[in-house]
Every structure is written in structure tokens, then in C-alpha cells.
Amino acid sequence: MGVFKESVIKYVSAIPKGNVASYGQIALYAGYPRGARQVGWILNKLPENTNVPWWRVINNKGYISIKAHSTYDAEIQKVLLEKEGVIIDKAYNIDINKYRYNPEIIIKS
DNA sequence: AGCTTGACTGTGG
DNA sequence: ACCACAGCCAAGC
């Protein structure tokens, strides 16, 4: 297992219940500032029975980006987040600034 | 070795 | 606010 994957899993696992983080945010924490797409790739490869909370990772625009998938889809991710108290609308939009994990690290303009 | 494919992102129109 | 686009980079062919 590569260092990158190990690191991504470590930081995704650190997101508290009821909070969310973006792919780019996880990539940044893991030491790969431009590895957002790779974070998505790694989460995609996680086994179905993983204990890694992949559903707490959404895109930086504030919505669930997963679409049709063999096993998981946006609806499943939505339900998992709602179980933790995160409010999501029908278009899968989330107030990411409200639920963001470690918001102080994100540089805003 | 080269090309395509994404669970992405920031910028610019 | 919405959309298009270019940059991104590991994995799979």
C-alpha cells in the first residue's frame, strides 16, 4: 500500500461524525495539494464493508458528486449523511461551510 | 511508452 | 449563479 493511500484513509477516518470534508481538503491534509481526483479514486476502490467513512467526503462545491455506481450511489451517501444529522436537499446540495471539518485550514477569498 | 478515464478544482466569461 | 475549460495525476489498457 502506498503512502498516499494510507494517508488519505487516515485523514478521511479522522472526519468526525456529522461533519464533511472535500476531496481537495483531504488531499491537502495528506500532503498532496493537487490530488483531489486521486482521493476520489482511492475511495472508489474501498471495499464495500470498509469502516472508512467515505460518505463524509463531498466535493468543494458542496454537493454529492458520486453518480451512478455499481454499488453506491448519491442516494446511499445522502442517507448515510442524514443519519448523522447533515441536512441535504433533493439536488444533493449541502451547506459545506456549516458542516466542514477543520474549516480554519481552508483559505477563503 | 502513450492515451484515456475520472466520487476534483479554481478561474473566467 | 451557472457553465465551460484547462490543469491535475494515478490507474488501467
Side-chain angles (χ1 to χ4, degrees), chain A residues 30-100:
Chain A
Y32 294 75
R34 283 161 295 288
R37 306 188 75 152
Q38 283 58 242
V39 170
W41 182 261
I42 288 169
L43 297 186
N44 181 43
K45 287 186 306 186
L46 290 172
E48 195 173 339
N49 61 358
T50 183
N51 58 341
V52 178
W54 56 267
W55 58 89
R56 294 177 190 150
V57 184
I58 64 177
N59 66 40
N60 200 231
K61 294 174 182 171
Y63 59 81
I64 293 173
S65 66
I66 184 175
K67 299 188 176 93
H69 200 272
S70 58
T71 308
Y72 301 123
D73 61 19
E75 189 58 32
I76 291 176
Q77 183 168 5
K78 180 172 182 281
V79 169
L80 286 168
L81 283 171
E82 286 176 334
K83 284 202 307 189
E84 304 185 342
V86 176
I87 304 301
I88 307 171
D89 74 12
K90 291 192 175 179
Y92 302 109
N93 290 300
I94 298 167
D95 184 348
I96 191 170
N97 291 318
K98 176 177 177 182
Y99 300 105
R100 170 106 64 187

Side-chain angles (χ1 to χ4, degrees), chain A residues 15-41:
Chain A
I15 305 170
K17 185 177 181 179
N19 281 87
V20 299
S22 71
Y23 298 93
Q25 197 180 345
I26 294 301
L28 182 65
Y29 295 158
Y32 294 75
R34 283 161 295 288
R37 306 188 75 152
Q38 283 58 242
V39 170
W41 182 261

Side-chain angles (χ1 to χ4, degrees), chain A residues 4-22:
Chain A
F4 181 41
K5 180 177 177 181
E6 296 289 323
S7 210
V8 166
I9 288 174
K10 172 182 168 185
Y11 286 100
V12 170
S13 299
I15 305 170
K17 185 177 181 179
N19 281 87
V20 299
S22 71

